[in-house]
Amino acid sequence: MNLKHPWSGFWRGCVDCSPFVVIVIPYSLLFGVVATDAGLNLFETMSMSVLVIAGVSQFTALALLQDQAPVFIVLLASLAVNLRMAMYSAALVPYLGHASMRLRALMSYLMVDQAYAVAVRAYEADPQMGPSTRVAYYFGCMSMIGPFWYFFTFIGAWAGTTIPASWSLEFAVPICFIALTAPLLQSLSHVLAALAAAVSALVFAFLPWSLGLIVGASVGIVVGAQAELWVNRQARVAHD
């Protein structure tokens, strides 16, 4: 991919991220339905989607609120789930750090898993992509996620429980994250971190208020970091 003009970058971002539309639509519909079932009205549901725009943490918060978990636990779990956004931001700095503060603020608000995964792979594949084109490409990616997320969340919340259970919209959640995660597991440390996090989350699933997710995330981070250090040490020894 060799993109020179910002508009070409924007449209290419739209094309590259368009396959995720088939996941975002049922995912956002599902959130709208679940939020309605949890007792949120249409305004509250849309406010949550627009302000938070982070599907997994929104589902986590709803589940904990339904379990009558303390507000502190709800916030802690949501923050733990969304800590990956900090890592995404750090990974994007070399490519988008040149943008103005306003643009970076808007990009951080719009950051979602799909846009990050597609954009960072494109930047790595085309080092010659210009600074303005990289920004345009990112917004092209996000234009295929945000509008659909907002609109179909509204449809899900408006339709509420009239959507039949036989549609099984919950399939979108695991499929979305499998599609996002699998291409990013490019090293031993990545694979070990993912496995450790998944196994730990399952082992500690008995903990109340979904605290097993926090434990799993913490274990995955530690294992991944230690694996990366070990790999780097082995590389230095081999080089010496």
Side-chain angles (χ1 to χ4, degrees):
M1 180 173 61
N2 186 17
L3 305 175
K4 299 298 182 183
H5 194 276
W7 274 111
S8 65
F10 178 84
W11 293 118
R12 185 54 184 266
C14 292
V15 171
D16 289 351
C17 214
S18 59
F20 285 105
V21 172
V22 298
I23 300 298
V24 172
I25 289 175
Y27 195 14
S28 51
L29 277 171
L30 178 62
F31 175 75
V33 173
V34 170
T36 301
D37 289 343
L40 273 63
N41 60 36
L42 182 60
F43 176 77
E44 292 167 338
T45 301
M46 291 307 301
S47 296
M48 191 175 187
S49 272
V50 172
L51 294 175
V52 179
I53 190 171
V56 180
S57 67
Q58 290 177 217
F59 278 104
T60 302
L62 280 179
L64 293 173
L65 288 172
Q66 286 180 300
D67 289 342
Q68 298 183 334
V71 174
F72 173 75
I73 295 297
V74 175
L75 295 176
L76 180 62
S78 300
L79 177 62
V81 170
N82 263 6
L83 278 176
R84 68 192 189 281
M85 297 298 173
M87 295 183 284
Y88 293 171
S89 298
L92 288 172
V93 166
Y95 306 107
L96 301 174
H98 64 276
S100 67
M101 178 66 75
R102 289 183 180 181
L103 271 181
R104 281 183 283 134
L106 180 58
M107 286 188 285
S108 65
Y109 162 72
L110 292 172
M111 185 180 296
V112 294
D113 299 278
Q114 297 89 342
Y116 162 77
V118 173
V120 77
R121 292 185 69 192
Y123 300 153
E124 291 173 351
D126 187 5
Q128 302 304 315
M129 191 186 299
S132 59
T133 306
R134 290 197 295 267
V135 172
Y137 183 90
Y138 180 87
F139 282 111
C141 291
M142 191 55 211
S143 69
M144 301 304 295
I145 304 298
F148 291 94
W149 174 256
Y150 299 141
F151 179 73
F152 284 97
T153 295
F154 174 83
I155 296 298
W158 176 69
T161 55
T162 61
I163 296 179
S166 60
W167 285 23
S168 300
L169 296 178
E170 62 270 15
F171 82 93
V173 180
I175 289 178
C176 179
F177 278 88
I178 290 172
L180 287 170
T181 305
L184 298 177
L185 301 179
Q186 299 176 353
S187 69
L188 176 63
S189 57
H190 294 165
V191 173
L192 291 176
L195 286 174
V199 171
S200 300
L202 291 173
V203 170
F204 291 96
F206 65 89
L207 292 176
W209 306 324
S210 298
L211 290 176
L213 292 175
I214 299 176
V215 175
S218 301
V219 171
I221 291 172
V222 172
V223 170
Q226 291 303 311
E228 190 71 20
L229 290 173
W230 181 83
V231 169
N232 290 337
R233 282 197 299 266
Q234 294 301 112
R236 285 196 296 268
V237 170
H239 180 73
D240 295 338

